[in-house]
Every structure is written in C-alpha cells, then in structure tokens.
Amino acid sequence: MKTLLAIREREYEWVQQAFPSIHPLLLPICNKPFTEFLIDFAILAGSTEIRLLSDGPLGKVEDYCEDGSRWGIKLSYGHLQAEDSLPELLNKSRKFCTDDRIMIISGFSFIHYDKQLGYANFMSLMPAGTCASCPGGNITLAGPPETSAQELPALPLTLMPLNQIESYFRISMETLETGAARYVLPGYGNEPGCAIGRNVVISKSSEIIKPVSIGNNVQILSGAVIGPGAIIGNNVIVDKESTVKSGIILDNTYIGEHLEINGRIATGNTLIDPARGASIAMEDPHLLSGIRSADKRGSAIRKTVHLLAAAILVALQLIPFLLLFPLLKLLGRWKSGMAICHGAGHGKSFTLPTTLITGNGPLASLASSLSLDRLPLLLRIFTGQLAIIGSTPVPVTLETVVLPGEHQGYRPAVFSYAEAEEWPVNDSDAAIVERYFIVHSTPLKDISMTLKALLNRL
Amino acid sequence: MNFRLDSSRGFTIGIAELTGRLDAQNSKELQKTFVSWLQKTRCLVLDCSAVDFIDSSGLGAIVGCLRKTLEAAGELKLAGLNAKVAMVFELTQAERLFSIFTNAGEAAASFAAAPDSQK
Amino acid sequence: MNISETQAGSITIVAITGTLDASTTKELLKSPAISNPAQSVVMDLEHLDFLDSSGLGALIGTLRKKRERSAETLISCMNDRVRRVFEITNAHRIFHIFDDTAAAVDYATQLTARI
C-alpha cells in the first residue's frame, strides 16, 4: 500500500500566524513534528511509499524528513492545487499510485491511533471509501481491498481537526497524557509519562512531576517546577523558581525567574492563552524571550570581531602598561597569580592569570581605570580561551566542581556583560545577564558592550 | 490618569483610571501620583480597563503602590484587567498579591464588605 | 537544449531536454506548439536538468497566453531540482503538476473537451 498526504495551505494558515517561526507541517505535538505522526501512522497502516502533497512550500519539511530513509520508507513530495478533488489528486500522482490500494490522508488534522494495533490488516480489508473523517480532514481508501472481506476488526481510528490554537493545545496535552503507550514519542525516560531529550541539565533542587516531555538542550534551573502536563521544547531555559504546568514551551524560549506558566503556550517572547486565543509579546527579556540558535558562521564572525577588538585594546594599553607596571610592581601594588577556571565546553578547564592592583594611590587608580589588570587576560583571546566579552570566568573550586553544568550559556571572557550593564555584583544575578547576552548579543553589540565595560571602570 | 473620589457608600473610595501603556516611561509618575491619592483616601481602586500594555516596570510600579497602601493600612484593588494585562499578572504571579475585579464598580462595592479599612 | 513535440490527440506533449535558461528560452517560445496560443500543451520536464528564472518566465508566459485562449499548459514529470525551483518561486501554485505525462494528457483532454 502507498499513502498520499494532502494538506492545503489554507488549512494550516492559523499556525503561520500564531507561530511564525515554525513551519506548520513541522508544528511540534509533544515535541514531535506533526508530519512525523502522519508518517508513523502511514507506516503502521502498511505503507512503504508516502508522498506529501501541498500547495504551500515544502522546503523546510523536505530538509527535515528528507527521503524517508530514516523510517525505512520512500518519501517524495509533490504539488496540488487548493481546489483539486480526490480523483484529480490521484491523477496528478498517477505514476506514484501504481499499487491497487492507496490511502489518502487529507487535511490538517490529528489522527488518534494506537501503535500496538494492526492497522495494516485493517486498511487492506476495508472497502474503498472514507474510513475516518472530521471537519476539514479525512482518511480515504482508493482501490479494491487487497483480500476479500473477512470479519472486519474494529480498531480505534478517529480524526481531530487541528484548526486553531485551542485544539492544538488540547491535542498536545492529550498526547502527553496518553503518552508513549499509543504514539511513538521522542525522549528517554525509565518511567512512563516522563520523556527527556539529549543534553538536558536539571538542577537538583528542581522538581519534575509526570507527565512531562522535555526536548533537547534544555536547562531547568534551581527551584523550578516542571509539570504536571508540561511540554518543554528544544533549546529552552527555565530559570530559577519558575513553574510550568499544563503548558507548552516551544523551541528556543527563555523563561525568566519566578514566573508561573499555567495553561499557556510560550514561544520566544510571546505568551499565548490557548482558550481565548489572546497573546502578548513580552518586551522584557528577563520575563520571556526568544533564544536564537547560534549558527557556526555567526560564531566565526564573532570570534574575528573579538580578536580585532582585543588587538586594538592591547595596542592601546601597551604603553601605559610598560610605564606603570614596573612602578607598581616595585611598590608591591601589582599582585599576580594563577587560577584554574572552567572552560567554555562541558568539563573543560584552564588556568588563567589573576591580577590584583591594591592601594589607592594615583598610580594604582590610574592603572585600574585603564583596566591594565585585564591585559594578561586579553592575551588569552589570541589563544582562543577567552572571548572579549561574555561571562566572568568561574574558578574551579570544591563547590563548583560540576559547575557550570549550564555551559551553554557560559562563555568565559575578559570582560563580562554584567560589568558592562553594571548589574549588582552578585554572582547569580551576574550570571543571568551574562547568559542572556551570550544568547542575544551580536558581534557589533559585543564591541559596544566592551566599550561600556571599559568606560564603567574609568 | 484620571482620579475621582466616590463617597456614595458613606466613605471615600478613590478610583484611578489608568490608560494606554504602563511601562518604564510612566511608571515612576504613577508611583509619585499615587502618594497624593493615598493622602486623600486609603480605599483605592486602580481601573486598568484602558491599559493595553504593561511591562515589568509598570508591574513593579503597581506592586510599589500596593506596598505603600499596605504601609498606610489601606486597601488597593485592581479592576478591569484585559486578557493581555491579566496574562502578565498571572505569569509573574503578581495576581496572588491583589484582589482583582472585573470592573471598577465591583471593586468599589467590595470595600463595603471590609469596613476595617475605614478607620 | 532539445525540444521534441509529440501529438497525443488534441494535446501536444512538449518534452524539453537539457537546460532552460536565458539563452535557450527563445528557441522554446518559437516552437510551433508553444507559439500557437490556442494549443493546449503538456510540458514534459523529465529530462530538464536546469531551469533558471528566465526559463520559468517563459513557462509562465506561455501559460498566461494560452489561458487567454482557454488552452492549458500542464507540467509533468519534474525532477527534484526543478520542483524546488517551482516551490521557491511559488510557481507551483499556478500550474497543474503531474507525475505522469499520460495523466496530464488525460486531464488536458478533459479540460479542452469541456469547452
């Protein structure tokens, strides 16, 4: 058997409005893209070849699903016109439809099925015609049954329209609750109702209450309460003491401290009430904000910009340093040492020079205001160990052996974003502003932040 | 910001209508003006039905107003939060600090049930 | 580029082999089935290796001209590369696209019979 998936753009228009950064056909339901549920079902129903037809762009779907070899099937893509009837669809894919039996799943709707049941037999026995439908969607069989009718098994198979944010929320929650018993869901977990992805850091003092689904690259910080009924996407940070229950946090979202998300959808800096459809974009980045996924090209540009800035700074500091350093050293005001600090990657560490200029004399204060104590650190930018601006390097001590496990938001640097922003020099607060900017800053902004940090010391 | 005093219930209730955006630009002004309202009466209602946006500094200002009211042994109620403003209150758990009513009339009526505040 | 025209009933199948770009579109537009605006055609793109914006422009121009005279321009058998060009440019929204030339011919025959 083969399957045609026919989804028209007008059926998923609402998704583009509600979540502009997500391709509607990849809309995650319980952390699994919508199209994958259809593919799973088509395979369960005995398909070896699937074709996805749409009048909208399929590029992103193709990038994600590729040729279907991941599922051991052949997946191809085609086009339709919004007003095409079923015979027209079959005609447009005539070469594809060589098998006697074709299953056509049309509409942007969610299929309730049970992965443990034998749909293949069911689908080959059913007479031609519609075998399940809902407003805006149906599953139809074309061609004669593969074997002549025996007793038809009764199998649960219903469709639910995915036509607005409310139904999306409801279907997501239902899928989370029915869980891996009925659907193939992503994530690991040794008990039902709790699926956790790769590279997830969960603070010891946080609480996870089933059912939950957590994606990849997620940080749950101390005191956070996740669940029951929480779906956390990929690249999400839930900051300290925040609660997420009966809620969906979509990919690339930062949830600030002491917040409560209950019965809501958060995506980037937008909070949506699924029941009323109301949404609000937070302008405060410390409440909700989007996390841009760092692309490699961007980080190369950033590194180059940082190197150039460091070279200019070293050149500027060199003469004052040569004049002041011997004097301060003689007076015993320049104290230098070494400290082992955490590196940017997980479990990495390196030694860094530490410098302390003591005393209140004119020479010492001049040296500090010119940030001469940072010169030895500046040289570490050329070795690639430090960035010019980022996080304050965290020394490796007994308490911080595991820290910073949150290495994604950690970029050891000569100057810290916290210094530039003059945040209260309280370690945990500083780490927040640093984490925030590490995700949000651009190379150009880095330079202006570095200047700010320098000026703050004058 | 329009402020009026309502004495129809035998004691004075101050009802302030906030409008537009409540953000860093006008949150300080609200806190300053609020002190003068608090001198007139200790039963206050902030009618937010015409507020269409609130950010954290606006929220901070309202929480500041509440603190001042409590220090003066008064009562502050909120009324008419639209869906978006209500979501900010809910998200930040600020809704737990306030008594919130659907409109200013209901908020004003609720004072009668708590005559303690009229000392 | 190589163009071959085959008659299938009232419909002409225009098979294009090779590259359709600025240098070859003129030749396509001069071919008899394309230049006759009343002739419904099925463009068989199975062996079209490359399509650029001017080639796409020629296909769309043909479609518009023929639609004025109630004739159709259908597309069949695109390869993946050409399909992506159609998709990126949104050209797939205005053409009827088939994976089989015979199916496209049937469809075009039906359409022209209706008129």
Side-chain angles (χ1 to χ4, degrees):
Chain A
M1 193 177 75
K2 291 183 181 179
T3 298
L4 277 180
L5 306 174
I7 304 165
R8 287 153 176 97
E9 205 174 17
R10 60 158 189 260
E11 294 162 342
Y12 59 63
E13 241 175 350
W14 66 269
V15 182
Q16 288 165 316
Q17 280 154 15
F19 311 114
S21 61
I22 301 174
H23 190 292
L25 297 182
L26 298 177
L27 181 69
I29 294 169
C30 218
N31 283 326
K32 178 169 169 142
F34 168 75
T35 305
E36 260 194 81
F37 282 95
L38 295 184
I39 293 173
D40 279 354
F41 178 72
I43 295 169
L44 196 64
S47 301
T48 49
E49 282 187 48
I50 299 171
R51 176 168 288 177
L52 176 58
L53 300 171
S54 179
D55 50 347
L58 290 174
K60 273 193 185 170
V61 183
E62 203 178 338
D63 288 347
Y64 178 81
C65 297
E66 295 171 327
D67 63 354
S69 51
R70 189 170 356 144
W71 295 277
I73 48 132
K74 232 178 113 188
L75 181 61
S76 57
Y77 305 85
H79 305 295
L80 55 79
Q81 300 273 312
E83 64 281 4
D84 279 348
S85 64
L86 186 67
E88 278 168 347
L89 286 185
L90 292 171
N91 197 28
K92 281 187 174 181
S93 290
R94 188 185 286 183
K95 209 177 257 174
F96 175 80
C97 302
T98 47
D99 283 30
D100 284 344
R101 201 100 244 241
I102 306 290
M103 174 169 73
I104 304 102
I105 302 177
S106 63
F108 193 58
S109 42
F110 186 78
I111 307 173
H112 285 291
Y113 65 90
D114 187 337
K115 69 177 179 188
Q116 297 177 14
L117 301 174
Y119 286 91
N121 191 32
F122 179 72
M123 288 300 173
S124 63
L125 290 177
M126 282 291 281
T130 302
C131 61
S133 69
C134 71
N138 62 69
I139 301 177
T140 305
L141 293 164
E146 281 170 9
T147 40
S148 54
Q150 306 159 8
E151 192 72 9
L152 269 181
L155 285 182
L157 180 65
T158 49
L159 284 179
M160 249 169 105
L162 205 48
N163 53 5
Q164 51 185 315
I165 205 138
E166 186 270 328
S167 55
Y168 167 62
F169 186 78
R170 193 156 35 90
I171 288 169
S172 297
M173 286 300 147
E174 274 176 24
T175 309
L176 179 67
E177 274 156 34
T178 29
R182 286 189 70 165
Y183 305 102
V184 182
L185 294 176
Y188 312 94
N190 39 21
E191 45 187 317
C194 180
I196 295 175
R198 283 174 279 114
N199 193 21
V200 173
V201 181
I202 299 174
S203 162
K204 269 183 190 164
S205 58
S206 63
E207 200 181 339
I208 309 282
I209 307 160
K210 291 191 294 187
V212 290
S213 170
I214 297 175
N216 302 322
N217 307 320
V218 173
Q219 296 180 50
I220 311 288
L221 300 189
S222 58
V225 181
I226 307 297
I231 302 172
I232 313 273
N234 301 319
N235 309 319
V236 170
I237 303 173
V238 180
D239 216 327
K240 280 178 276 177
E241 313 287 340
S242 284
T243 305
V244 181
K245 60 178 170 185
S246 303
I248 304 175
I249 313 295
L250 290 170
D251 293 1
N252 309 316
T253 301
Y254 166 75
I255 307 292
E257 282 180 42
H258 300 283
L259 301 180
E260 182 177 294
I261 303 212
N262 184 357
R264 299 282 182 266
I265 301 172
T267 168
N269 68 343
T270 308
L271 191 67
I272 301 167
D273 176 352
R276 283 177 292 183
S279 73
I280 181 170
M282 299 292 164
E283 289 179 31
D284 300 304
H286 55 269
L287 290 179
L288 288 186
S289 59
I291 298 172
R292 247 177 283 157
S293 49
D295 59 323
K296 281 184 178 163
R297 212 170 105 240
S299 77
I301 294 170
R302 187 187 294 276
K303 274 190 178 147
T304 320
V305 169
H306 281 204
L307 269 176
L308 283 172
I312 294 167
L313 262 183
V314 169
L316 288 173
Q317 285 190 333
L318 202 59
I319 291 169
F321 177 79
L322 289 176
L323 291 173
L324 289 171
F325 172 69
L327 286 169
L328 285 167
K329 194 84 191 167
L330 270 176
L331 290 166
R333 298 268 165 86
W334 185 288
K335 293 189 175 131
S336 49
M338 283 301 209
I340 302 169
C341 290
H342 286 285
H346 183 68
K348 283 185 193 165
S349 66
F350 47 71
T351 54
L352 283 180
T354 56
T355 310
L356 197 65
I357 300 170
T358 54
N360 297 319
L363 284 179
S365 54
L366 181 64
S368 321
S369 60
L370 291 175
S371 300
L372 292 186
D373 54 331
R374 303 289 171 98
L375 187 63
L377 289 176
L378 275 174
L379 300 175
R380 295 300 180 100
I381 295 174
F382 300 104
T383 62
Q385 284 173 323
L386 293 181
I388 195 157
I389 189 153
S391 324
T392 315
V394 177
V396 179
T397 61
L398 278 178
E399 292 90 59
T400 62
V401 177
V402 207
L403 263 173
E406 312 136 329
H407 60 269
Q408 270 191 312
Y410 176 65
R411 188 172 73 215
V414 179
F415 297 96
S416 75
Y417 287 121
E419 272 180 310
E421 287 289 272
E422 284 192 290
W423 265 51
V425 190
N426 163 332
D427 284 353
S428 67
D429 280 2
I432 291 160
V433 70
E434 287 165 3
R435 260 203 316 266
Y436 173 74
F437 276 107
I438 281 168
V439 175
H440 287 87
S441 185
T442 59
L444 205 66
K445 198 161 180 205
D446 279 354
I447 298 306
S448 68
M449 295 284 277
T450 309
L451 285 175
K452 245 168 132 182
L454 281 166
L455 289 174
N456 285 347
R457 305 195 75 204
L458 273 180
Chain B
M1 285 186 284
N2 175 22
F3 185 69
R4 65 190 160 87
L5 292 170
D6 176 356
S7 306
S8 61
R9 283 177 181 78
F11 55 92
T12 316
I13 299 169
I15 299 170
E17 282 170 23
L18 309 180
T19 50
R21 291 172 64 92
L22 216 56
D23 55 20
Q25 256 111 53
N26 50 28
S27 56
K28 283 221 174 93
E29 190 196 335
L30 170 65
Q31 276 189 297
K32 244 185 257 167
T33 327
F34 187 82
V35 177
S36 66
W37 297 339
L38 196 56
Q39 280 161 357
K40 293 191 182 104
T41 172
R42 287 179 297 169
C43 294
L44 287 154
V45 175
L46 292 182
D47 181 357
C48 299
S49 49
V51 174
D52 46 43
F53 179 80
I54 185 166
D55 77 351
S56 64
S57 55
L59 192 68
I62 292 185
V63 173
C65 293
L66 177 70
R67 209 175 43 235
K68 281 183 195 129
T69 316
L70 294 177
E71 275 166 15
E75 263 191 272
L76 174 67
K77 310 206 170 180
L78 299 183
L81 307 187
N82 73 23
K84 287 182 173 190
V85 175
M87 263 205 271
V88 177
F89 271 77
E90 185 194 354
L91 174 75
T92 53
Q93 301 172 43
E95 62 174 6
R96 295 179 189 175
L97 305 174
F98 294 94
S99 343
I100 300 173
F101 297 86
T102 47
N103 58 53
E106 276 182 31
S110 73
F111 280 109
D116 280 14
S117 59
Q118 266 304 293
K119 273 176 199 163
Chain C
M1 185 192 67
N2 188 18
I3 304 169
S4 76
E5 292 190 3
T6 326
Q7 203 62 30
S10 61
I11 312 297
T12 310
I13 301 166
V14 181
I16 306 172
T17 312
T19 303
L20 191 57
D21 60 13
S23 60
T24 52
T25 48
K26 269 183 203 151
E27 199 187 322
L28 175 71
L29 294 175
K30 267 186 259 168
S31 73
I34 301 290
S35 56
N36 172 8
Q39 174 65 54
S40 283
V41 293
V42 171
M43 311 290 297
D44 177 356
L45 305 185
E46 190 174 4
H47 300 288
L48 179 67
D49 303 322
F50 176 81
L51 176 73
D52 77 351
S53 60
S54 58
L56 199 61
L59 292 178
I60 292 167
T62 305
L63 173 93
R64 298 286 180 219
K65 246 182 264 164
K66 288 184 188 293
R67 281 223 177 133
E68 273 173 32
R69 303 285 299 271
S70 302
E72 260 303 330
T73 310
L74 305 177
I75 306 281
S76 74
C77 304
M78 294 193 284
N79 63 34
D80 281 350
R81 195 188 301 168
V82 173
R83 177 171 58 79
R84 281 191 203 106
V85 176
F86 268 73
E87 210 175 283
I88 290 164
T89 54
N90 268 348
H92 69 282
R93 291 170 199 267
I94 57 171
F95 286 97
H96 283 284
I97 299 164
F98 295 77
D99 71 346
D100 182 60
T101 307
V105 169
D106 289 352
Y107 185 82
T109 312
Q110 268 178 32
L111 276 184
T112 46
R114 234 180 270 163
I115 299 156

